[in-house]
Amino acid sequence: MSGDLYRLAMTVLHPGFEGTSAPDWLRRALGEGLGGVVLFARNAVNARLVRQLRAEHPGTVIAIDEEGGTVTRLEVMAGSSFPGNRALGVVDDVALTEQVGRQIGRMLADLDITLDYAPSADVNANPANPVIGVRSFGPEPELVARHTVAYVRGVQGAGVAACAKHFPGHGDTVTDSHLALPTVHASREVLAERDLPPFRAAIGAGVRSIMSGHLLVPALDPSMPATLSRTVLTELLRGELGFDGMLVTDAIEMRAVAAMFSPGEIAVRALAAGVDAICAGLTTEDGLRELRDAIVAAVRDGRLPEERLAEAAGRVRALSGWYADQALARAQAHDDLDEGVGLRAARRALTTSGTAGLDRGPLVVEINTRLNQAVDPATRTGVTAALASLLPNIDSVRLGPEGELPAFDDRPVVLVVHDAARHPWVRDTVAKALAVRPDAIIVDTGVPAPPPGATHVATHGISRVSALAAAEWLLA
C-alpha cells in the first residue's frame, strides 16, 4: 500500500524544471510514475526533449502555456504566429478562432504535447487588469464564451487537450497573482452572469481540463483563494457546473498562494479542495520530494482522504488516456497546415483612424512596450522589427515612466504604446509628443485608450503577426 500511495502522490504532481534536457532526477521521477511535466520557454522545447520525457513514462501529461499572442513558449524569440485572444474577440469570427485554435493544437500535436494551458476564459471586465488584458477575448461574457468554445474545439479537434483558465475568472482584478493575492469584489449574482458563462460553455463543449486561479472571491469563500477552496472547486465547479475533467492549479510558486503556505501545504490543501494536478512551475529534486512526502503524510494523518487522492490520480490518467485515443485526429491535423491564418486574423483585428502612408524611415518611440524577457534587449522586436523588415533607415528609442521624449527632426514619428487605457503616464507622454508633432502616428498593442485625434492603429495584441499587420498598414 505504501508504494501505491507514493505512486498516487507522484501522479498528481506536474513540475517544471531548469535546462534544455530532462535532468536525471526528473527521469527517475517519471520512472516512478510522475503524472505530468510542464514545459516553459527556458526549456527550448523541441521534439527531442519530449521524446526524452516520454521514454521514461509514455503516458505522462506534458503541458505547456501556448495561448498565442502575449503568452507563447514555443515562439518566444520572434513572437507568436497568432495574434492572441483579444484580437480574435475584436474580429468576432468563431470559425476563425477555431481555425487558430486548430493550428496551435497542430503545433503542439507535432511535438507530442498532451495539454495546452489555454484558452484564457477570463472576462476582462476591469480595464485596469494588469495580468489578463489582451489575453482575454474581451469584456463581454457572451463574446468570451463563444470564442472559448471555438478555441477549445480547435485545439481538441487537433487531438490536444485544452484547459480553460483561470477559474472562477481572473478578469475583474487589479492585482497580478504572480505577485500577490488578487481579490474579486463581486456578488454571486455578478459572478454567475459575468465570470462563469465562459467556463460553463467550455464544460458544455467538452473541455478536458480547467485551471484554478489564485484568486480570493469573498462572495464564494471569504477565507481561502479559489485554488484552495472546496466551496469553489468541489461545490461550484464540480457540483453546480458539472465539470468532471482534470482540474489543475495555476503554478503554486506564485506569490498569491506561496505567501500563505509552504509548497507541500498548498498541494495538500488544493487536493483536498478538489484539484487533480499540482502545477509546480519551477521544481528541484528536493522540492518534488517535499511535495510528494507532504501528500503522503497528509493521507496517513487523515487530512487528505486516500479516495480523494486516488480520484485525482484517476483524472490525470483519464486525460492521458484521452490523448492516447486522439492519434488519428493529430495525424489529420498534421496534414491541415494553414501558415497564414494568424496573419489574416491579425490584419482583420486592426482598428484604425486616419491614414498613415509612411514613405521613409521613421523615428519609432516605444512607450511602455512589453519587452520579452527571453530576448536580448538590443534585439529589435515588435512593431519596430516589423517596420525595419519593410522599410530602411528605422531609428528607435524606448521610454519608461521617467523617460524624456527625444528631440524630433523632420522624420515621420511613430509612437508605439502598450495599454494606454491602463497607464495615465503613457497617455501624458503621447499628449506631450502630439503637442510637438501632431502628425505623429500612434500604434497601441494592448487595450487601447480612445484615439487622441491623431492617426491611430490598435493591434489588440502583442505578437509577431500583430506587429507585421500594423507595419503593413503604416506603409499602405
Side-chain angles (χ1 to χ4, degrees), residues 364 366 381-388 414 416 443 445 459 466-468 470-471 474:
V364 180
E366 299 181 355
T381 58
V383 175
T384 304
L387 275 170
V414 176
V416 181
V443 182
T445 62
T459 65
S466 297
L468 182 56
L474 291 173

Side-chain angles (χ1 to χ4, degrees), residues 453-473:
T455 295
H456 187 278
V457 55
T459 65
H460 303 284
I462 307 168
S463 69
R464 180 179 58 80
V465 289
S466 297
L468 182 56
E472 291 175 344
W473 185 84

Side-chain angles (χ1 to χ4, degrees), residues 177 181 214 225 227-228 251-261 266:
S177 51
L181 178 62
H214 300 324
T227 297
L228 309 178
I252 63 169
E253 70 271 19
M254 291 165 64
R255 294 300 298 165
V257 289
M260 299 176 72
F261 301 109
I266 293 168

Side-chain angles (χ1 to χ4, degrees), residues 120-144:
S120 166
D122 306 296
V123 178
N124 198 56
N126 192 330
N129 194 316
V131 68
I132 302 301
V134 292
R135 296 169 64 195
S136 165
F137 289 111
E140 300 296 331
E142 296 78 11
L143 173 78
V144 175

